[in-house]
Amino acid sequence: MKRLVYRPGRHFLQIPGPTNVPDRVLRAIDAPTIDHRGPDFAQLGLEVLDGLRSVCRTEGHVVLYPASGTGAWEAALVNTLSPGDKVIASETGHFATLWRAMATKLGLDVVWLEGDWRHGADPERIADALEPDTRAVMVVHNETSTGVTSRIADVRAALGDHDALLLVDTISSLASIDYRHDEWGVDVTVGGSQKGLMLPAGLSLNAVSAKAIEASRTARLPRSYWDWAPIIKANETGYWPYTPATNLLYGLREALHMLLEEEGLENVFARHARHAAATRAAVHGWGLEVLALDEREFSGALTAVVCDGSDEVRRIILERFDMSLGAGLGKLADRVFRIGHLGDFNDLMLAGTLSGVQMGLHIAGHDVGDGLGAALEQLAR
């Protein structure tokens, strides 16, 4: 029988999601469950839906599901499209690839724009791929596997007056990186609870435009649980047509208060950008390379570091310093490690994270420079 060893201090969870859940949010979740048909719940429901509209920067409907982000992917597709519809998707990384696979399984005709996993969605290539019968364009805003952020406003502009719907995955960018559903002309935004919203996994959302609602009236992909219409109807009075995740909604209300009322979204975005810049300074100080190549597409939520044999580095860091880093996914397996710097995160947490990475790289035999010093200099400015 393996002997259990107590490890003092908190585990450093520096994967790019699920992220650290603030103690205040955990305490909010740890409250008695209430009647989800009673008046107290209605007040809770209306409050969190209003807060989510502010986070998504939309005046339209936000549909919230007790599901992971994968569920909200499917909801975005089945509510707006019909079998055989042509959609364009850009290969920006592992999660874009998974969303494409889902669309194909659902019977959609996916025009796949291959990419190198080091750049975001190319607006010009998307525009060139448009056909008269293109029904939708699918883009991952922040690719969690690569640390590359696509320029959604530029993609929207490239669509011109084409009638295609714009579907955007913001699972690792919402409440971390500047995002504007209405202003950027997005039709369906896909989000999840376990990253910038600082909650456990278990809630996901679609923010939907009037154009997307109109498309849902004639879309013919099968849907039942994911159907927007009964949820939007029930949400008018703060309820859901099924049993909601009441205790996660308690946590969401607390997280929204912290993000919107106490820190403010603009400050949240600035904090994430600052930590991302300091992390990149550390990577360059180590003599390593950031995976993202276009500085316009650097992610504020995570940094993917090019490092052959990265799984061994991650193993050492976990065993020696009780810190988890993100693995390389798909064709980046054992070629990168990912440092998450999103959610409930501050300067000293970043300094501790980068210190652990630097020590782990040394122990693994990598001849690296003082990246930590470079990051601290950046933070001190």
Side-chain angles (χ1 to χ4, degrees):
M1 180 175 171
K2 184 177 180 180
R3 179 172 174 266
L4 297 178
V5 178
Y6 170 68
R7 308 193 77 168
R10 288 198 172 192
H11 174 70
F12 267 58
L13 183 67
Q14 299 317 133
I15 62 175
T19 60
N20 303 290
V21 180
D23 290 343
R24 283 175 54 183
V25 173
L26 289 172
R27 288 195 296 269
I29 292 171
D30 184 22
T33 302
I34 59 176
D35 176 13
H36 61 284
R37 301 286 180 240
D40 289 344
F41 183 89
Q43 182 178 349
L44 170 66
L46 292 171
E47 192 173 340
V48 297
L49 290 169
D50 186 56
L52 288 173
R53 280 190 286 271
S54 295
V55 170
C56 295
R57 293 182 169 179
T58 181
E59 296 182 2
H61 293 292
V62 175
V63 183
L64 186 65
Y65 299 98
S68 70
T70 304
W73 270 355
E74 183 162 336
L77 299 174
V78 300
N79 278 284
T80 58
L81 299 167
S82 299
D85 276 353
K86 183 180 292 184
V87 300
I88 296 171
S90 296
E91 184 189 9
T92 53
H94 181 68
F95 292 98
T97 303
L98 292 178
W99 201 11
R100 172 220 187 180
M102 174 187 282
T104 301
K105 286 181 180 179
L106 290 171
L108 299 171
D109 177 11
V110 182
V111 177
W112 185 233
L113 304 182
E114 294 184 352
D116 62 2
W117 291 38
R118 304 192 74 171
H119 293 86
D122 186 330
E124 292 184 5
R125 289 186 67 197
I126 291 172
D128 291 342
L130 287 171
E131 299 288 348
D133 60 346
T134 301
R135 292 288 298 126
V137 173
M138 300 162 49
V139 182
V140 175
H141 182 213
N142 187 71
E143 177 54 71
T144 319
S145 66
T146 65
V148 174
T149 302
S150 290
R151 292 167 284 126
I152 301 302
D154 291 348
V155 172
R156 175 74 266 179
L159 299 182
D161 58 1
H162 197 286
D163 197 43
L165 296 163
L166 179 57
L167 316 180
V168 179
D169 168 352
T170 68
I171 291 170
S172 64
S173 59
L174 194 66
S176 299
I177 300 170
D178 188 18
Y179 182 77
R180 310 174 191 187
H181 176 94
D182 286 358
E183 182 180 332
W184 292 349
V186 178
D187 293 298
V188 185
T189 292
V190 174
S193 60
Q194 72 275 23
K195 299 183 190 265
L197 289 175
M198 305 185 297
L199 287 162
L203 294 176
S204 61
L205 64 87
N206 286 163
V208 296
S209 70
K211 181 179 171 182
I213 293 288
E214 186 63 30
S216 73
R217 297 191 173 106
T218 56
R220 291 182 289 104
L221 281 176
R223 62 188 188 267
S224 176
Y225 179 80
W226 305 115
D227 192 355
W228 291 336
I231 303 172
I232 290 172
K233 179 64 177 175
N235 283 170
E236 291 176 0
T237 51
Y239 298 108
W240 271 260
Y242 45 68
T243 304
T246 303
N247 288 65
L248 284 178
L249 295 180
Y250 291 153
L252 177 58
R253 177 169 59 186
E254 186 69 16
L256 289 170
H257 184 80
M258 295 164 69
L259 291 165
L260 297 172
E261 304 299 328
E262 296 187 16
E263 187 171 9
L265 277 184
E266 293 300 333
N267 293 326
V268 171
F269 301 149
R271 169 168 56 84
H272 281 75
R274 180 168 170 273
H275 288 156
T279 302
R280 292 192 298 272
V283 175
H284 297 146
W286 294 326
L288 299 177
E289 185 181 7
V290 173
L291 184 68
L293 291 177
D294 187 336
E295 65 180 16
R296 297 173 300 172
E297 298 174 340
F298 288 157
S299 171
L302 73 136
T303 300
V305 183
V306 179
C307 177
D308 287 336
S310 60
D311 285 350
E312 176 64 10
V313 174
R314 291 176 51 253
R315 183 193 66 78
I316 289 170
I317 290 171
L318 177 60
E319 291 184 357
R320 292 289 297 272
F321 309 116
D322 198 20
M323 181 167 71
S324 295
L325 298 175
L329 301 175
K331 61 186 181 183
L332 294 177
D334 206 28
R335 293 179 51 204
V336 304
F337 61 84
R338 295 173 298 144
I339 303 171
H341 36 72
L342 72 162
D344 186 39
F345 198 64
N346 62 30
D347 287 10
L348 287 181
M349 293 167 73
L350 179 61
T353 297
L354 298 177
S355 176
V357 173
Q358 184 161 306
M359 289 188 291
L361 286 166
H362 277 300
I363 294 168
H366 292 270
D367 183 16
V368 295
D370 183 18
L372 175 61
L376 295 179
E377 182 178 338
Q378 179 87 21
L379 290 173
R381 292 176 184 170

